[in-house]
Amino acid sequence: IVVASINYGMGFQVSQAKALGAIHTAVQNMRGALRFLLAKQMEYKINPDLVYVGGASAGGITALTTAFLEEGEYSDFVRDKLAGSHFFECLDCGTNRIVQDFRVKGVVSLWGGVTDITIVDNPVNTLLFHGDADMTVPYEYGYPFEKLGFYNKSSGRLIFDQMYGSKKIKDTLGPYATLFTLNGADHSPQYKKGKNTLNMEMASGIASEIVSFIRKTNTQ
């Protein structure tokens, strides 16, 4: 398995439009990285028919949106109540000028989600991990960053749209998705609670399931 870890934009100004714009920019960055890698597929020994994307939290949101979002499914321009605005360039604009076709074979999301469930309409093999007590990215559907009080505060609802978490994505994809629900787990459960130390049992279990997922789906 050839693995590449990419950089992508994460920052945004405080508004719904800017938050959505940050996701869009991150997707452009991930798509740009895929074009770059596949343009060098012979050098890096990459099979272009077996491309998987994945990530945790914001990375999961980026990977899911990259796998499912198609050109034209988002409005070109968004303005919100805080007078924020964002223009959505084409998905392959920016990042680089490499022209390279690609298709995502599968996606792995760790406690990620999507802002619009209607984009999840492609038969892409999907592996999902999510704690059912996640207060940062909702497990099912709701406002992100609930633990910061945004769920009940009108200010938070001006900043973020509600998100569809792993449970809703699994329900939408049906047999194309596998969901591992981490009972009672909050966000980023691969770390020991209150510590910046890996929970090796959790992390090893997740890694093992990811490898199994790739082996199982790369022949489909």
Side-chain angles (χ1 to χ4, degrees):
I1 299 174
V2 180
V3 179
S5 179
I6 74 166
N7 290 326
Y8 58 92
M10 291 183 66
F12 61 89
Q13 297 174 358
V14 180
S15 79
Q16 284 184 350
K18 300 297 185 182
L20 289 172
I23 295 173
H24 188 79
T25 299
V27 170
Q28 287 179 316
N29 295 159
M30 182 171 276
R31 291 178 65 95
L34 290 172
R35 295 196 306 274
F36 170 83
L37 292 165
L38 288 172
K40 296 176 176 288
Q41 60 187 262
M42 298 300 293
E43 179 182 347
Y44 295 149
K45 298 180 173 60
I46 296 173
N47 185 336
D49 296 322
L50 300 177
V51 175
Y52 291 74
V53 294
S57 192
I61 294 169
T62 301
L64 286 165
T65 309
T66 298
F68 291 106
L69 182 65
E70 298 177 347
E71 199 73 74
E73 288 191 306
Y74 277 175
S75 299
D76 291 337
F77 184 83
V78 176
R79 183 180 296 277
D80 64 33
K81 296 177 182 178
L82 293 182
S85 61
H86 191 90
F87 175 72
F88 295 95
E89 297 180 305
C90 70
L91 291 174
D92 289 323
C93 294
T95 308
N96 58 49
R97 297 184 179 180
I98 297 171
V99 177
Q100 176 69 49
D101 292 333
F102 65 86
R103 182 178 71 87
V104 174
K105 175 76 172 182
V107 56
V108 178
S109 170
L110 292 82
W111 32 99
V114 294
T115 57
D116 185 351
I117 199 66
T118 65
I119 71 170
V120 183
D121 56 2
N122 311 326
V124 179
N125 295 305
T126 302
L127 179 63
L128 304 155
F129 300 89
H130 215 133
D132 59 6
D134 194 332
M135 298 182 71
T136 300
V137 176
Y139 171 67
E140 293 193 53
Y141 177 68
Y143 288 96
F145 297 104
E146 180 181 351
K147 63 183 177 182
L148 300 181
F150 286 160
Y151 185 80
N152 295 313
K153 292 183 178 180
S154 60
S155 58
R157 299 184 183 206
L158 289 171
I159 298 170
F160 299 105
D161 282 329
Q162 294 192 75
M163 296 195 73
Y164 299 84
S166 298
K167 179 63 167 60
K168 290 293 186 182
I169 294 170
K170 163 60 181 172
D171 292 344
T172 302
L173 284 174
Y176 290 101
T178 299
L179 168 62
F180 285 91
T181 298
L182 309 175
N183 295 320
D186 195 357
H187 201 62
S188 297
Q190 78 276 30
Y191 293 109
K192 293 181 180 178
K193 191 172 183 179
K195 298 180 180 180
N196 192 26
T197 305
L198 274 179
N199 178 334
M200 291 308 298
E201 182 179 1
M202 173 78 72
S204 296
I206 289 173
S208 177
E209 293 296 344
I210 292 173
V211 173
S212 296
F213 168 74
I214 293 173
R215 286 176 174 167
K216 178 181 177 181
T217 58
N218 68 17
T219 58
Q220 295 178 353

